[in-house]
Amino acid sequence: MKILKFGGKSLANGEGLQKVVQIIAQKYFDNEPITVVVSARGNATDELVILLKKAQANIDFKTDLEDFKKYQLDGLKENSFNEEFVVLEKLLEGVSLWGDYSEKIKDQVISFGEILAAKYVAHVLNENSIKAQYTDARQLIKTDANFGNAQPLESVSKKNIVTYFDKNSDKVNVVTGFIGATLHNETTTF
């Protein structure tokens, strides 16, 4: 199996995303077994950090959050990421109330960039007749609890990955990059 990794700039809306789909389609229709790993689209990670800092400083973040949502939804139904957006907004509201956040909260907030990107790319691939599915790396890669700089727990992660891909090799798995989870399913970043 080949792993194709796409960074945020290549996944930005428009021409970059079209090129990514073309690369994946060529391999898929040539029957090459592939898995796709994606980063947050465009400047999503930086935008999420700015949202966190605004919330911490009790500066209105809602307008920026709406702009973030609009970009992430480009071409999708309004409710496509409703669950993710609800959780993200609640986290930011909590940070605003406390006036502070931990590395653990930061990891959880910035993970939404990768989650939304993987879901978006899987959706676009399916629209282009490529059998694809969103794959959350937090279910596969288990890490220590060093939030912001987590290290994978190799044996557990390897077992999870092998088991998952043995059962899901008939489609293009679009995997979140940059994130994992502790053994207690707390989101971490590498």
Side-chain angles (χ1 to χ4, degrees), residues 54-58 61 90-100:
K54 282 188 170 188
Q56 178 187 28
N58 204 17
F61 61 85
K90 285 181 180 180
L91 286 166
L92 292 170
E93 287 171 353
V95 168
S96 183
L97 286 171
W98 282 101
D100 202 5

Side-chain angles (χ1 to χ4, degrees), residues 142 181-186:
K142 297 302 174 180
T182 67
L183 294 174
H184 300 292
N185 294 319
E186 300 164 307

